[in-house]
Amino acid sequence: MSCTSRLRCTINGVACDREIDPRLLLVEAVRDVAGLKGTRVGCLTGDCGACTVRIDGAVVKSCLVLALSVEDRAITTIEGAGDLTEIQHAFVAENGFQCGFCTTGMVLTAAELLRDNPRPSEAEIRRAISGNLCRCTGYDGIVAAVRRAAEARARA
């Protein structure tokens, strides 16, 4: 006898209607059920930010969320976040990534920061990304990338 529950939500604008194990974390559902590998599994304690996604537009660490709790909600992963072009270009230009493991969380967090605060100070950038760990300690490049993205958005 298997115990499953039905999950209905949207992931990157695509309807998801699946039977899943009720113990499944959202990060596992995104990666293993939806097949979207840009969302990383890191610490599974909410400390590293590698599993960052958006739920109804808000940045969330998906390792802390049961998949069933997103019933009828909109999930956006790095693959579906189409509003990131200048942030991605800035990360490349400023070497804001090294191994790339933290990039998903950093980019989605930067996008949320710039949406809410289009001209953040360095301290505000550092505070915003403080919930995301960079294993390579590339924080200066990441901060420079967020600044560059903010400047690019201001010029646009």
Side-chain angles (χ1 to χ4, degrees), residues 45-66:
T45 60
D47 293 323
C48 76
C51 67
T52 300
V53 299
R54 292 179 186 162
I55 300 175
D56 294 334
V59 169
V60 174
K61 294 177 182 177
S62 63
C63 73
L64 298 177
V65 177
L66 286 172

Side-chain angles (χ1 to χ4, degrees), residues 32-55:
D32 302 335
V33 175
L36 300 167
K37 304 298 186 188
T39 302
R40 310 261 197 269
V41 177
C43 63
L44 292 175
T45 60
D47 293 323
C48 76
C51 67
T52 300
V53 299
R54 292 179 186 162
I55 300 175

Side-chain angles (χ1 to χ4, degrees), residues 87-156:
I87 296 171
Q88 291 167 323
H89 288 299
F91 266 70
V92 170
E94 296 293 342
N95 197 27
F97 62 91
Q98 290 175 37
C99 79
F101 196 79
C102 71
T103 304
T104 297
M106 292 292 188
V107 167
L108 288 174
T109 299
E112 183 177 62
L113 169 65
L114 296 178
R115 180 192 66 208
D116 297 341
N117 180 359
R119 296 189 180 181
S121 67
E122 180 175 337
E124 290 168 325
I125 294 169
R126 288 187 182 278
R127 189 174 324 110
I129 66 169
S130 67
N132 297 291
L133 299 180
C134 174
R135 297 194 277 189
C136 304
T137 66
Y139 295 104
D140 289 338
I142 293 165
V143 170
V146 177
R147 271 200 167 146
R148 180 183 283 249
E151 291 165 5
R153 284 186 174 188
R155 285 191 304 271

Side-chain angles (χ1 to χ4, degrees), residues 7 9-14 16 26 30 36 39 52-58 62 65 67 69-78 80-81:
L7 171 64
C9 64
T10 62
I11 301 177
N12 296 335
V14 177
C16 177
L26 181 57
V30 165
L36 300 167
T39 302
T52 300
V53 299
R54 292 179 186 162
I55 300 175
D56 294 334
S62 63
V65 177
S69 71
V70 299
E71 181 75 21
D72 296 324
R73 298 180 80 184
I75 312 309
T76 306
T77 69
I78 193 74

